[in-house]
Amino acid sequence: MKTVGDGDFTVCIVRLSPFNDIERSSPHIFLYHECRAVLPAASIDFAWFPTARERQLHEGDRDGWLTSVFTKRPLAQFDLLLISNAYALELVNLPYLLTRAGIALSASERRQAGFKPLIVLGGSNSLAAQSVTFSDKDALVDAIHFGEGETLVSALVETLKTRPGAERRTALEEHAASVDGLVVFTSSKAPSRVTKAVYRSMDRYPIRCANDPPLFDSDEASTIRLQISAGCPSFCTFCFEGWERKPYREVPYRKLVEDALYLKQTTGADSVELTSFNFNTHSDIVALIVELQRYFKQVDFMSQRADILAIMPALASFEAAAGKRVFTVGIEGISERMRAYYHKELSRDQIMGAIEAIVQAKAKEIKLFFILSGNEDASDGEEFRRLLISIDSLRSRHGSHTRIVCSFGLLVRMPFTPLRYERLLLDRAQWEQSLQVVQQAVQSACFEFRLAEQFDEYFISQTLVMTPYPIAPALVAMAENGYVYDRKFPKGAWQFFSSVLGRQGWLPDSFTRLKDQHARFAFDFLDVGIDSVFLYNRFIDAQNHVQQSSCMPASHEIRHCSACGACSDAAERQFLTGHAIKAPTRVDMECVEALLKAKATMKPLYIRFTVPFSLRTAKAATRSSYIMRTLAERLPGAATSIMQVQDVLFGSPEWQDRMIAWYGKTAIAVYPLPLADREALQADLQAIGYPVLSLEQAIGSRYAVSIEPAEGKHLTMVMMERSIAKLLDQRFLPASLVRQGNDAVFSFSEKARKKREIFEAIIRTTIDGKVSVELQGSAKLDLSPLGKATCGLPDDSITACMRFIDDSEKL
């Protein structure tokens, strides 16, 4: 990444979880595209919450050690931090992150001292992020963005970058007054009425799409996420996203295909994952999957509605034909009564219909997801037991060995949903009956039982999302006492957190009791588009186990508007009430099956490619993405001619356990699309400097390896002599050491030469004292012992540069 000048406006995109936990998500990529629309790439960087190893490594360091990913710039030096908050527990990490970055903890302190950066928090949990506040006028962040950020993030960055540093806090306040969704914490006034931001022009989605997206080293580097819709048409009482992201909107089919090909061309991806709350609600989902199968090695689709599968069983068969083997079915309630409480509009017959369709599609695994409310009784448990028996019988009747997993979560009562009025259960004893009932039923059916979370996590999460109090000091206390969230909390987290809240009077009995329609909640200045009376009426329906029909039909019947207030005009309402999903046809099934068969028998073209030094420790998916990007930069039609690329030499599975960190030349298989013109692609590759070879020519038979000290490492001649001697000893290659001037040469015995693994090994010392090793070897070469402690080198201290030795170079 290019360096940035001191006077340039800079943005750091921050995630509150370690990278391994968020690599499959896309908010940081979305924010990059928004920023890139108005800033050069060099002005944008990223930061992740540090891993446990990083936190331990810096435990005794003074604050300020937390830096950005690419430029290694201290976070305190950026002009703007954009924090994406995905879920409530991440907020516990915010004070720790700010402290370790050397940034003052409150907006008021930063404002008074004139410190940068400005900090704006957004993301899917922003409507439940009240725990970051110290008061109505102060918070851990300078502003919170509520709702969707399409076009609004770039407008914010554009506004701030044009103002001098001393004026930016004022500019932030002025900007908030002119846009939806932005609340700024100021010393002068508390937030007034603010409208949640909703992006309604899905026919132009995505608005921002940079042609130079960042490449992160990840197993997910070769996968893009394609958002096919926004919001949810259902009224499930428990679902935060279903209420927070209304109304339901779809990106048109043709626009999705266009976007997918653009993203493939610019990111080097060979796989696509369709992202949506329920992918099978998209009216053109079948056509979309068929079309994307033409261009991507893998097309993944995750969460879907069970009632649609029941009404449209051919969809399960189509999904299986398209490669889906694991199905997740969100049943939620363990009984009809509890499903009515959750407003699932899902009957027992529909559940059985959906599962039968999946079993008949020969699924490998079905994950049944349930939510426990703590209100379940013995009759609910008995009904659940009978349901599982019926599922097992259905599976047996079809002679199926499909694995059944029953996964349970504890109901978090979320703000801006009907269940915000419900009592809160913050005592483990209140959950024992519900847990015992379902665990016994699952075990008696011989299915697998899973509980999604621990009680400390649940109690803290429930408190964070529903507290009406300014509890930021409690988050600060958690950080000061070593409590951060990294997939789990340290032992005693809830005990400590609840004691802090209790001492401040922030955990009164009234907090956990049932609430009436006049109750006050956090962020009550926010207009989310749905009236509180509507929410409360839906809560009363839930208590009475009464369900109202949703606006959007699952098939072709006509529904009526529920008058929730989320739609802005008649066109949006008509889209929902007249919505219809196009069912798969026999032609669709045959087409997708033919495409998968063609992809399974693809014959590649082979080229040689130089992997750069920067990717010496990169994962295979990262290297593949880089190679595809490199080819696509010079081949404008790469997205519609190349399916994927694959390292068939040093980065292949055959070699991965024999290599140390490496870069340089390797052999690559380039797979044309099933319907692509192979000869045209071969000519195109030749024209851009990549001659097509046979597999034998591409792989070669003899390789030169330069082993160098890794960056920042110093290795002596004695260290390298010993390590190479141990390598040869472990590979049973007898050799004697002969000194020739400043070099040390290993002379191989006749026995070693006959093995034809390593032909030459020379240790050289340059004039400036740097030591390197030159090896020549065959396809039997194994460098892995050099990366092990037994060879006597420090961890991660060497790198191998690989190249081919052509016949003309052989000794």
Side-chain angles (χ1 to χ4, degrees):
M1 179 174 281
K2 296 179 180 178
T3 56
V4 59
D6 290 336
D8 294 326
F9 184 82
T10 56
V11 177
C12 189
I13 296 164
V14 181
R15 299 299 302 267
L16 296 176
S17 291
F19 180 69
N20 285 347
D21 293 337
I22 56 92
E23 62 180 334
R24 287 182 60 87
S25 66
S26 55
H28 51 284
I29 300 297
F30 162 76
L31 290 172
Y32 175 83
H33 289 309
E34 283 285 319
C35 293
R36 186 68 181 86
V38 294
L39 290 176
S43 295
I44 311 165
D45 210 336
F46 301 82
W48 326 122
F49 189 75
T51 63
R53 185 168 180 257
E54 291 167 337
R55 299 195 302 272
Q56 184 177 16
L57 182 66
H58 293 281
E59 191 170 356
D61 293 0
R62 61 185 179 84
D63 295 336
W65 56 263
L66 195 58
T67 60
S68 62
V69 171
F70 293 114
T71 60
K72 305 303 178 186
R73 186 181 182 129
L75 266 61
Q77 293 182 12
F78 284 87
D79 296 295
L80 176 64
L81 301 187
L82 294 176
I83 299 179
S84 176
N85 174 213
Y87 57 94
L89 292 176
E90 285 188 323
L91 293 174
V92 175
N93 297 339
L94 181 54
Y96 179 97
L97 184 141
L98 294 178
T99 300
R100 273 46 178 191
I103 298 172
L105 285 174
S106 71
S108 59
E109 185 178 352
R110 294 190 293 271
R111 182 171 57 248
Q112 291 166 8
F115 291 153
K116 63 179 186 180
L118 285 171
I119 304 173
V120 179
L121 181 142
S124 58
N125 189 64
S126 62
L127 274 76
Q130 64 268 27
S131 59
V132 303
T133 61
F134 292 101
S135 69
D136 288 343
K137 301 178 181 179
D138 198 14
L140 291 165
V141 298
D142 296 285
I144 298 178
H145 176 82
F146 297 102
E148 296 163 351
E150 282 80 357
T151 73
L152 295 176
V153 174
S154 54
L156 170 65
V157 174
E158 176 71 20
T159 296
L160 295 178
K161 79 169 188 177
T162 59
R163 300 285 285 271
E167 298 179 8
R168 285 181 185 142
R169 293 185 186 276
T170 301
L172 181 63
E173 295 176 30
E174 294 171 351
H175 184 74
S178 64
V179 297
D180 286 344
L182 189 61
V183 169
V184 180
F185 296 96
T186 72
S187 58
S188 58
K189 60 179 181 178
S192 56
R193 199 67 173 165
V194 173
T195 301
K196 180 191 71 172
V198 178
Y199 181 73
R200 300 182 185 273
S201 301
M202 301 304 286
D203 57 326
R204 297 195 299 274
Y205 190 91
I207 286 292
R208 311 296 187 192
C209 202
N211 61 5
D212 56 354
L215 178 60
F216 300 110
D217 188 23
S218 163
D219 291 328
E220 300 296 319
S222 59
T223 300
I224 57 170
R225 269 83 200 174
L226 185 69
Q227 183 175 341
I228 67 173
S229 63
C232 178
S234 300
F235 288 95
C236 301
T237 55
F238 62 88
C239 184
F240 185 50
E241 291 83 1
W243 294 88
E244 182 260 343
R245 294 292 301 276
K246 285 192 182 308
Y248 176 71
R249 291 144 287 154
E250 291 181 355
V251 184
Y253 158 69
R254 285 295 171 194
K255 184 70 169 65
L256 287 168
V257 175
E258 175 189 325
D259 295 340
L261 290 175
Y262 181 81
L263 289 171
K264 180 183 177 184
Q265 182 80 18
T266 55
T267 66
D270 57 28
S271 300
V272 59
E273 181 178 307
L274 307 183
T275 63
S276 174
F277 293 133
N278 295 289
F279 76 83
N280 65 352
T281 57
H282 196 286
S283 54
D284 288 307
I285 187 61
V286 173
L288 179 62
I289 291 173
V290 170
E291 191 66 12
L292 294 180
Q293 290 284 3
R294 301 182 192 278
Y295 303 108
F296 289 89
K297 174 188 73 173
Q298 185 77 27
V299 180
D300 290 322
F301 28 94
M302 302 299 179
S303 178
Q304 59 185 318
R305 282 176 52 178
D307 59 335
I308 294 176
L309 284 180
I311 295 169
M312 202 178 292
L315 190 57
S317 299
F318 171 79
E319 292 172 26
K324 191 172 183 64
R325 291 292 176 266
V326 177
F327 288 73
T328 299
V329 180
I331 297 176
E332 271 75 56
I334 66 171
S335 65
E336 294 275 7
R337 187 179 77 96
M338 293 312 301
R339 288 192 291 278
Y341 174 76
Y342 293 141
H343 200 281
K344 278 295 293 182
E345 297 186 272
L346 184 63
S347 68
R348 186 184 190 282
D349 287 345
Q350 288 176 316
I351 294 170
M352 296 303 297
I355 293 175
E356 183 165 30
I358 296 170
V359 167
Q360 288 180 315
K362 296 180 170 54
K364 177 183 177 182
E365 178 179 291
I366 303 175
K367 296 178 180 177
L368 304 178
F369 186 73
F370 300 92
I371 297 176
L372 296 178
S373 70
N375 298 326
E376 291 79 11
D377 59 24
S379 64
D380 297 315
E382 176 59 23
E383 185 178 332
F384 179 60
R385 187 185 68 83
R386 292 197 302 269
L387 174 67
L388 296 187
I389 291 172
S390 296
I391 292 172
D392 190 37
S393 298
L394 183 152
R395 188 176 58 168
S396 299
R397 189 167 67 251
H398 288 282
S400 169
H401 298 287
T402 300
R403 180 187 181 195
I404 306 290
V405 178
C406 296
S407 182
F408 294 84
L410 306 182
L411 173 65
V412 178
R413 285 75 165 162
M414 294 298 292
F416 300 102
T417 72
L419 295 189
R420 69 178 182 174
Y421 300 98
E422 184 60 281
R423 64 192 181 108
L424 308 182
L425 307 182
L426 301 181
D427 186 335
R428 180 167 183 160
Q430 295 172 299
W431 293 95
E432 292 298 340
Q433 179 180 350
S434 295
L435 280 170
Q436 186 176 5
V437 161
V438 297
Q439 191 162 6
Q440 288 176 350
V442 173
Q443 290 171 347
S444 66
C446 297
F447 294 161
E448 186 175 335
F449 175 87
R450 292 180 186 172
L451 183 62
E453 55 205 328
Q454 300 300 314
F455 280 100
D456 268 23
E457 298 170 13
Y458 172 77
F459 295 149
I460 294 174
S461 180
Q462 180 65 88
T463 303
L464 290 173
V465 301
M466 283 305 299
T467 183
Y469 305 105
I471 65 169
L475 298 188
V476 174
M478 291 280 278
E480 291 173 344
N481 287 272
Y483 290 104
V484 298
Y485 184 73
D486 188 354
R487 299 193 179 185
K488 62 180 181 180
F489 279 115
K491 189 176 180 179
W494 170 242
Q495 183 179 2
F496 176 83
F497 188 55
S498 60
S499 66
V500 173
L501 297 179
R503 287 195 299 270
Q504 297 295 328
W506 292 334
L507 207 59
D509 290 342
S510 59
F511 175 58
T512 58
R513 284 200 296 261
L514 198 70
K515 298 164 184 66
D516 64 25
Q517 61 182 323
H518 303 296
R520 295 289 300 274
F521 298 95
F523 295 155
D524 58 0
F525 55 80
L526 190 60
D527 179 4
V528 297
I530 300 176
D531 187 75
S532 61
V533 174
F534 186 90
L535 286 179
Y536 188 73
N537 288 339
R538 284 301 174 101
F539 173 61
I540 297 301
D541 285 344
Q543 284 189 310
N544 295 324
H545 307 98
V546 173
Q547 299 185 83
Q548 310 288 344
S549 295
S550 297
C551 310
M552 196 179 88
S555 55
H556 289 270
E557 73 270 20
I558 298 297
R559 292 284 183 93
H560 298 286
C561 174
S562 298
C564 71
C567 292
S568 62
D569 55 33
E572 287 188 348
R573 289 188 285 273
Q574 176 59 37
F575 169 75
L576 286 174
T577 57
H579 184 275
I581 301 164
K582 299 180 181 69
T585 65
R586 171 49 55 186
V587 172
D588 294 324
M589 294 278 288
E590 292 173 351
C591 184
V592 79
E593 287 171 348
L595 284 168
L596 262 64
K597 183 177 180 180
K599 286 191 285 187
T601 56
M602 287 187 299
K603 294 182 179 179
L605 304 171
Y606 297 99
I607 63 173
R608 287 181 176 178
F609 189 90
T610 302
V611 175
F613 178 78
S614 60
L615 296 184
R616 61 197 178 279
T617 61
K619 300 179 186 296
T622 309
R623 287 195 176 110
S624 293
S625 181
Y626 175 84
I627 294 166
M628 274 286 282
R629 289 185 188 203
T630 304
L631 297 179
E633 284 175 1
R634 305 178 68 181
L635 287 178
T640 54
S641 60
I642 299 174
M643 176 69 73
Q644 66 176 116
V645 296
Q646 188 174 28
D647 194 323
V648 291
L649 191 56
F650 303 124
S652 68
E654 181 183 351
W655 277 82
Q656 65 180 3
D657 293 331
R658 294 192 276 152
M659 294 295 289
I660 57 175
W662 70 275
Y663 68 103
K665 291 282 189 179
T666 189
I668 300 297
V670 180
Y671 288 86
L673 291 176
L675 301 180
D677 186 332
R678 288 175 60 86
E679 292 184 2
L681 178 58
Q682 182 170 337
D684 288 342
L685 290 170
Q686 177 85 31
I688 62 173
Y690 295 98
V692 173
L693 309 169
S694 69
L695 176 60
E696 292 74 17
Q697 290 173 325
I699 289 179
S701 61
R702 189 161 174 161
Y703 316 111
V705 186
S706 297
I707 300 175
E708 313 153 346
E711 191 173 0
K713 302 288 185 179
H714 176 70
L715 302 177
T716 66
M717 173 68 83
V718 172
M719 292 170 67
M720 291 307 302
E721 287 176 4
R722 289 175 178 171
S723 63
I724 296 301
K726 289 182 179 179
L727 166 68
L728 298 178
D729 183 57
Q730 291 184 35
R731 300 302 300 162
F732 302 103
L733 299 171
S736 57
L737 185 64
V738 179
R739 300 195 181 279
Q740 297 180 0
N742 291 329
D743 299 339
V745 179
F746 284 87
S747 177
F748 290 90
S749 68
E750 183 66 22
K751 177 183 177 181
R753 286 195 295 271
K754 285 182 178 179
K755 287 192 172 183
R756 300 188 62 80
E757 180 176 337
I758 297 179
F759 309 113
E760 182 179 288
I762 303 174
I763 305 175
R764 303 188 187 279
T765 304
T766 61
I767 296 175
D768 58 2
K770 290 183 179 179
V771 179
S772 64
V773 179
E774 300 292 335
L775 299 179
Q776 288 190 16
S778 70
K780 298 178 182 179
L781 189 65
D782 187 345
L783 301 176
S784 63
L786 293 174
K788 299 174 182 176
T790 52
C791 269
L793 295 174
D795 291 343
D796 304 321
S797 59
I798 54 175
T799 300
C801 176
M802 313 299 295
R803 67 182 177 86
F804 296 95
I805 300 177
D806 295 328
D807 290 342
S808 60
E809 296 181 66
K810 292 181 181 178
L811 300 178

